[in-house]
Amino acid sequence: MKMWAGRFRQPLDPEFERWQRSFPFDQRLIQEELSASRAHARALGAAGALAQAELDSILRGLEQIGQQAANPEFLQDDEAEDVHHFVEKQLVALIGETGYKLHSGRSRNEQISTDLRLYVRHAIDNLQRSLGELLEALIARAEKCGVAAMPSYTHLQPAEPVLVAHWLLAHAEMFFRDCGRLADCRKRLNQCPLGSGAVAGTTLPLDRAAMAADLGFDQPTANSLDATSDRDFAIEFVQALSLLATHLSRLAEEMILFSTREFGFVRLPEAFSTGSSAMPQKQNPDAMELIRGKAARVIGDATALVATVKGLPLAYNKDLQETQEPVFSAAETMQAVLSIAAGFMAAVEFDYDRMHAAASSGFMNAMAAAHYLVARGVPFRLAHEQIGRAVQWCVENHCELQDLSLYDLRRFAPEADQDFYSHLTLDAVLGCHDVEGGTAPARVRQALAEARERLAALRGELHAHA
Ligand code: ARG
C-alpha cells in the first residue's frame, strides 16, 4: 500500500513510478531509518499516542527488520518508494496494522533530513579514523627519514633543499586541516530534525529533546521549515571531502612525478602498482593515478549538491532527493581512497641517495650564498645580482658555486671570503632556515614531535565519539 494513494483516482505512469523511487539508493540509510523510527516510537509512547503493548510490538518489529537488513535479498523490493516506505511495509507485514501507527505525527521530510544527518555523522567518524591512519603513516615515514634531504620546488624548478621529513609534514598539515573541517561539520550537523513534521512542526506533543538525546544529537533543530529543507550539512561535508580529495590528489601527483626515471626519488611498491599488457618493462603508479582521478568525482559531487539546493524555495522539494547520491558517492569514494593512500604511504620507498644528490646540486644554495654576502654588509639586491652573475658563469663552465676558486668568486662578489664555502654545504643551507615552520633539522624535529602530539589528541577525540 502506498503512503499517499487516497487522493488519487488514476495509477501512476509505470515508468514514472519506477523512475521517482529512491529505494535503490536510499536503502543505505536503513539502519539510520530504524534508529530514527525507534526514537519517534518512544516519543509517541511517552505522549500517550501508542499504548505500551503497541510500542513494544513496534520496537520488536523494528529490531527484527534491522536484523534481516543484513541480508541483501531482504532489500529486494520493486514496490517500496523509498526507505521510509520500505520500513513501514515490512513493519506492517510483521506486526499488522499497528505498524501504520508509527507514522503518526511525523513526515518523511523530517525523516530523510534526520537519516542523512545520522549517515553523514557516522561517515565523518569513519573518515576521521582513516585520516588518522594516513597521518600515522606520514608521520611514521617522516620519523624514519632522519635528516635526509631533497630538493623543494617552486614553479616545479629546483628551489632550496629541505628535509624529506619537512616535505612529508607539509602534506600532514593539509590532512590535519581536513580533519578539523570534518569535525566542524560534525558539530554543526548534530541537531535533530525529528518533531519538525512535514514543514510546520508536529501536531503531537512529542518530546523533541528526548528524541534528540536518544539519537546522540546535541539538541533539536530550532526551526521546522529550515530543518526539513536544510542540506547545508551535506554540502559542507562533501565540500570538505572535495578539499581532502584535492590534497590527496596533490600528494598523488608528487608520488607519480617522483617515481619517474627522471626524478627517481620514490620506488613504487609493487603491491600498489600494475603492469602494462603491452610493454613488459612497465610498473605504473595506478594507485596514485586513480586517487588523482577520483578527486574529480568528489569535486563533481560537491558541485551537484550545491547546484541542487540553489534556487529551491522553502521548505521540502523533491529535488532534495537528489542530494543523497552525491553524499554516498563522496563518502564511499573517500573512505576507499584514504585506505589505499595509507597503505601506499606505509609501503613506498625513498631513494635517499638520489634525493641527496638532487638536493646538493643545481644551485639550490644560491640564496644561502646571497645571504652570506648580506651578513657581510652587502645590500640584498646587490648580493642577489652578484651571485646571479656567478651562477651564470658556472652554468657556462659546467660547475657549481662551491667549485669556484676564491679568486674567480671575488670577480663577482668582492666581499666573499674563505668561509664562503662552509656556508654553502647542504647542512649549512638546511641549517640556516632556523625559524618556526622552517626546514632547519632542529625545527623539523620539533615539528615532528608536535605532529605526534596533535595526532594523539585527534585519536582521543575520535575515541570519545566511538
Ligand atoms: N525519498 C524522499 C527523499 O529522499 C523522502 C521524502 C519524501 N517526501 C515527500 N514529501 N515526497 O527526499
Side-chain angles (χ1 to χ4, degrees):
M1 180 165 161
K2 286 214 179 327
M3 297 180 95
W4 41 261
R7 187 229 177 277
F8 285 73
R9 281 173 306 181
Q10 285 180 11
L12 289 189
D13 173 86
E15 188 186 350
F16 168 61
E17 151 92 87
R18 265 194 311 279
W19 178 76
Q20 55 94 39
R21 295 169 64 228
S22 54
F23 191 57
F25 51 85
D26 70 12
Q27 52 182 263
R28 282 181 184 74
L29 299 173
I30 187 140
Q31 294 302 341
E32 287 80 1
E33 173 70 10
L34 291 167
S35 302
S37 292
R38 277 191 287 268
H40 178 70
R42 284 192 273 264
L44 285 176
L50 288 176
Q52 186 63 44
E54 291 173 325
L55 173 60
D56 290 344
S57 154
I58 286 175
L59 290 177
R60 244 180 287 118
L62 293 173
E63 207 54 55
Q64 209 171 325
I65 296 170
Q67 285 156 11
Q68 285 175 288
N71 173 9
E73 260 168 48
F74 177 66
L75 298 171
Q76 293 292 329
D77 185 330
D78 295 335
E79 262 176 33
E81 191 171 310
D82 53 28
V83 68
H84 323 292
H85 185 209
F86 176 79
V87 168
E88 181 177 282
K89 271 181 66 188
Q90 293 298 333
L91 190 61
V92 170
L94 281 172
I95 69 168
E97 289 215 342
T98 304
Y100 288 130
K101 291 201 172 182
L102 177 59
H103 208 58
S104 318
R106 75 172 182 177
S107 155
R108 287 182 293 166
N109 300 351
E110 61 179 306
Q111 285 170 258
I112 186 58
S113 171
T114 305
D115 293 357
L116 211 47
R117 282 164 197 255
L118 290 173
Y119 175 93
V120 170
R121 191 176 73 187
H122 187 62
I124 287 177
D125 291 347
N126 287 335
L127 286 160
Q128 286 197 311
R129 218 160 285 126
S130 299
L131 258 169
E133 272 153 39
L134 175 62
L135 280 164
E136 170 62 43
L138 280 170
I139 293 170
R141 286 316 297 234
E143 283 165 345
K144 273 195 245 156
C145 291
V147 292
M150 67 186 288
S152 66
Y153 301 84
T154 63
H155 314 268
L156 201 51
Q157 302 290 326
E160 293 188 275
V162 291
L163 291 195
V164 179
H166 195 55
W167 166 62
L168 290 171
L169 286 178
H171 286 286
E173 281 305 317
M174 298 177 225
F175 297 129
F176 274 122
R177 286 196 297 275
D178 290 320
C179 256
R181 258 183 290 274
L182 288 173
D184 287 348
C185 174
R186 191 189 196 284
K187 248 180 256 153
R188 256 186 301 279
L189 75 73
N190 207 28
Q191 301 191 343
C192 186
L194 291 189
S196 298
V199 57
T202 181
T203 49
L204 294 177
L206 301 180
D207 185 343
R208 294 197 63 207
M211 290 192 285
D214 203 340
L215 293 167
F217 286 113
D218 296 329
Q219 64 206 55
T221 48
N223 181 295
S224 61
L225 281 150
D226 177 48
T228 48
S229 63
D230 165 41
R231 293 295 181 275
D232 287 11
F233 66 92
I235 295 173
E236 256 190 282
F237 172 59
V238 178
Q239 286 187 343
L241 290 189
S242 75
L243 200 41
L244 168 61
T246 301
H247 292 153
L248 281 155
S249 179
R250 295 183 80 177
L251 174 64
E253 169 59 18
E254 290 202 320
M255 289 297 157
I256 293 165
L257 196 62
F258 290 166
S259 72
T260 57
R261 208 173 118 82
E262 288 71 12
F263 277 87
F265 294 171
V266 157
R267 278 190 292 271
L268 296 173
E270 287 192 13
F272 290 91
S273 311
T274 64
S276 157
S277 62
M279 297 167 281
Q281 83 283 10
K282 295 272 275 179
Q283 185 187 350
N284 293 328
D286 295 39
M288 294 294 110
E289 291 171 299
L290 277 175
I291 286 177
R292 195 175 55 187
K294 298 279 184 195
R297 179 193 294 247
V298 179
I299 292 166
D301 291 332
T303 308
L305 265 173
V306 77
T308 303
V309 175
K310 179 201 166 296
L312 284 189
L314 300 188
Y316 181 83
N317 299 269
K318 188 82 169 214
D319 314 41
L320 290 175
Q321 183 164 291
E322 288 294 308
T323 61
Q324 295 186 33
E325 283 167 292
V327 169
F328 301 146
S329 153
E332 287 166 17
T333 300
M334 291 318 293
Q335 190 57 56
V337 160
L338 280 173
S339 158
I340 299 292
F344 180 96
M345 286 314 300
V348 70
E349 283 175 27
F350 296 146
D351 188 331
Y352 294 124
D353 292 341
R354 293 268 313 204
M355 288 171 152
H356 182 92
S360 312
S361 58
F363 305 103
M364 270 181 285
N365 49 11
M367 194 143 104
H371 279 288
Y372 164 84
L373 296 177
V374 167
R376 302 179 72 92
V378 182
F380 179 75
R381 188 56 54 228
L382 300 182
H384 184 286
E385 178 73 15
Q386 293 174 5
I387 297 298
R389 284 174 197 273
V391 167
Q392 183 59 50
W393 192 88
C394 290
V395 169
E396 279 161 18
N397 291 277
H398 308 290
C399 66
E400 297 274 338
L401 285 172
Q402 61 271 30
D403 300 327
L404 289 173
S405 68
L406 191 54
Y407 176 80
D408 283 337
L409 178 64
R410 280 185 170 156
R411 290 195 294 137
F412 305 103
E415 309 302 322
D417 229 324
Q418 193 56 45
D419 62 348
F420 177 78
Y421 300 97
S422 67
H423 285 80
L424 260 61
T425 63
L426 182 55
D427 283 350
V429 177
L430 289 167
C432 74
H433 298 281
D434 187 14
V435 61
E436 211 175 303
T439 200
R443 299 293 186 165
V444 174
R445 217 175 306 124
Q446 195 190 336
L448 207 43
E450 281 166 15
R452 265 268 163 246
E453 277 172 31
R454 283 154 68 196
L455 180 56
L458 183 75
R459 286 188 167 139
E461 283 164 36
L462 296 184
H463 195 69
H465 285 156

